[in-house]
Amino acid sequence: MDAATFFALFWGWLTVVFATILFIRPNVLVDLKRLMVEVRAFALIYGLLSLLLGLASVILHNIWVLNWHVLITIFGWLTLLKGVTVIGWPEISKNTSFEVRIKSTRIALVVVGVLAVWMLVATYAGAN
């Protein structure tokens, strides 16, 4: 299995499973958002994991092409930037209203969820 296939399956399934859970159980999203703001240790662990996953993706698959493979790179860079932001600028979450954070996260979950499904379909179909 090459790196592109691995990351497409990894990011695709991770995103689909996570987005599905957060839509089926909205209270989980609310709890996660509260933890991010109220418990700095949770935010640091979340940020560190995001940083590591994003960095691994960017190092191993930083390919900017005009097909679905670019989604792997975009997911990696977004995860890396999320990790840097959560660790370096925690006040962004504290200064944003809770309702705005929940709504923006739900919108982002829909967008990345659809892109993840597209990436999974393309991977399983063997598209280049």
Side-chain angles (χ1 to χ4, degrees):
M1 178 182 302
D2 65 344
T5 303
F6 171 78
F7 280 118
L9 294 174
F10 174 80
W11 285 118
W13 281 114
L14 180 71
T15 304
V16 167
V17 169
F18 199 67
T20 302
I21 290 169
L22 294 181
F23 272 100
I24 291 172
R25 309 245 356 246
N27 59 321
V28 174
L29 175 60
V30 170
D31 292 344
L32 285 172
K33 289 297 181 178
R34 285 195 202 288
L35 275 172
M36 290 290 292
V37 173
E38 295 172 2
V39 181
R40 181 68 177 139
F42 179 84
L44 287 172
I45 291 170
Y46 172 80
L48 182 61
L49 285 173
S50 295
L51 189 69
L52 292 173
L53 288 172
L55 193 57
S57 292
V58 167
I59 289 171
L60 294 172
H61 192 281
N62 193 25
I63 300 170
W64 296 93
V65 293
L66 291 176
N67 61 26
W68 67 268
H69 287 97
V70 76
L71 290 177
I72 300 167
T73 303
I74 291 170
F75 276 41
W77 275 104
L78 289 175
T79 304
L80 177 63
L81 293 173
K82 178 71 173 183
V84 169
T85 303
V86 168
I87 292 170
W89 292 273
E91 62 274 5
I92 292 173
S93 286
K94 290 182 180 181
N95 295 337
T96 306
S97 79
F98 190 72
E99 293 77 24
V100 169
R101 285 195 315 264
I102 294 293
K103 287 180 185 177
S104 64
T105 300
R106 286 190 176 133
I107 291 167
L109 284 172
V110 169
V111 172
V112 296
V114 168
L115 292 174
V117 168
W118 177 43
M119 188 166 50
L120 286 171
V121 169
T123 303
Y124 285 119
N128 288 322

